Amino acid sequence: GAVVSQHPSWVICKSGTSVKIECRSLDFQATTMFWYRQFPKQSLMLMATSNEGSKATYEQGVEKDKFLINHASLTLSTLTVTSAHPEDSSFYICSANSFGQGRTDTQYFGPGTRLTVL
Amino acid sequence: QKEVEQNSGPLSVPEGAIASLNCTYSDRGSQSFFWYRQYSGKSPELIMSIYSNGDKEDGRFTAQLNKASQYVSLLIRDSQPSDSATYLCAVCPNDYKLSFGAGTTVTVRA
């Protein structure tokens, strides 16, 4: 149980294009999903918290107009990197709380999406 | 002061030995504590969660929590080469958000 998927697993795009990353909870409902970014040899950095049916809450320093988050259902959240630039190249990872499966403060992580912007 | 601090690595242990990982946190009101394992190039994988003072064992892993000292640790017994990874300590102070430590990289020598 508590499986989270992400798609795509990796993407290469040209500078200036937008990239959408999907995060799905496969066997549970996720009222809250989290989006992280991780640069090489660094720890996870929380970008935003996404709640189903409401606007995402962004961490300080994260541009909400650049990183658009939509949490349309209890099993799907999307992150769109708009007008991507090389400095946005990173490993993007989503996680979800397992609502209805024991404690709701346990986060299960998706496999991540490696974004490379040329 | 960082919210979550882990002992700096890398930590190198011989196969079969015990690997000991330490973590301290600053928010005394924290109630939930987690250890994640992250292989290079992969996303974190939950190993253990612990909520009460004392020890919690799961297979070769034992988590220890001391809220008075604001300290949580992870012991890996009979370390295997497959245990070589970065171990992340995570603390949940509030609002279900996790605060992560920088991680400790463990290398198990065959």
Side-chain angles (χ1 to χ4, degrees):
Chain A
V3 178
V4 177
S5 71
Q6 274 184 250
H7 177 81
S9 56
W10 59 270
V11 59
I12 302 173
C13 68
K14 293 182 179 180
S15 184
T17 60
S18 294
V19 175
K20 179 186 283 189
I21 302 170
E22 291 186 350
C23 177
R24 294 182 185 270
S25 56
L26 298 185
D27 53 359
F28 65 98
Q29 293 181 326
T31 52
T32 305
M33 289 183 170
F34 303 84
W35 287 96
Y36 295 84
R37 181 167 55 180
Q38 187 176 37
F39 293 106
K41 299 191 184 301
Q42 295 186 22
S43 191
L44 298 168
M45 186 194 81
L46 179 65
M47 299 175 67
T49 302
S50 167
N51 290 293
E52 185 265 338
S54 63
K55 290 183 178 180
T57 302
Y58 291 82
E59 295 299 301
Q60 191 173 8
V62 177
E63 300 175 58
K64 61 181 181 181
D65 294 330
K66 181 170 182 61
F67 299 100
L68 302 179
I69 293 173
N70 182 277
H71 195 153
S73 75
L74 286 172
T75 59
L76 173 65
S77 177
T78 61
L79 167 68
T80 301
V81 183
T82 61
S83 186
H85 288 92
E87 58 266 29
D88 298 323
S89 298
S90 187
F91 192 39
Y92 291 86
I93 313 171
C94 73
S95 71
N97 288 93
S98 56
F99 176 75
Q101 294 194 13
R103 297 182 67 106
T104 57
D105 54 4
T106 301
Q107 290 186 26
Y108 296 92
F109 284 85
T113 297
R114 192 162 302 281
L115 170 64
T116 301
V117 184
L118 302 176
Chain B
Q1 181 188 7
K2 293 182 180 178
E3 291 185 36
V4 181
E5 297 204 45
Q6 296 184 237
N7 52 328
S8 59
L11 177 64
S12 180
V13 298
E15 186 174 357
I18 296 176
S20 177
L21 306 172
N22 302 316
C23 174
T24 58
Y25 59 95
S26 61
D27 190 329
R28 187 170 287 277
S30 299
Q31 296 296 322
S32 308
F33 308 87
F34 306 89
W35 283 99
Y36 287 87
R37 176 176 63 197
Q38 186 174 25
Y39 291 113
S40 180
K42 303 295 184 182
S43 68
E45 170 191 12
L46 180 66
I47 298 177
M48 296 276 286
S49 59
I50 187 167
Y51 307 99
S52 304
N53 282 328
D55 296 357
K56 179 181 179 182
E57 185 175 317
D58 184 359
R60 295 186 294 109
F61 298 98
T62 299
Q64 299 172 318
L65 175 61
N66 184 325
K67 291 184 180 180
S69 300
Q70 295 176 238
Y71 171 91
V72 58
S73 67
L74 179 71
L75 297 177
I76 307 173
R77 292 184 303 281
D78 188 24
S79 295
Q80 301 297 310
S82 60
D83 294 326
S84 299
T86 296
Y87 290 81
L88 302 171
C89 172
V91 176
C92 187
N94 52 47
D95 296 335
Y96 306 123
K97 291 196 295 188
L98 293 180
S99 294
F100 284 90
T104 300
T105 299
V106 174
T107 300
V108 180
R109 310 187 303 270

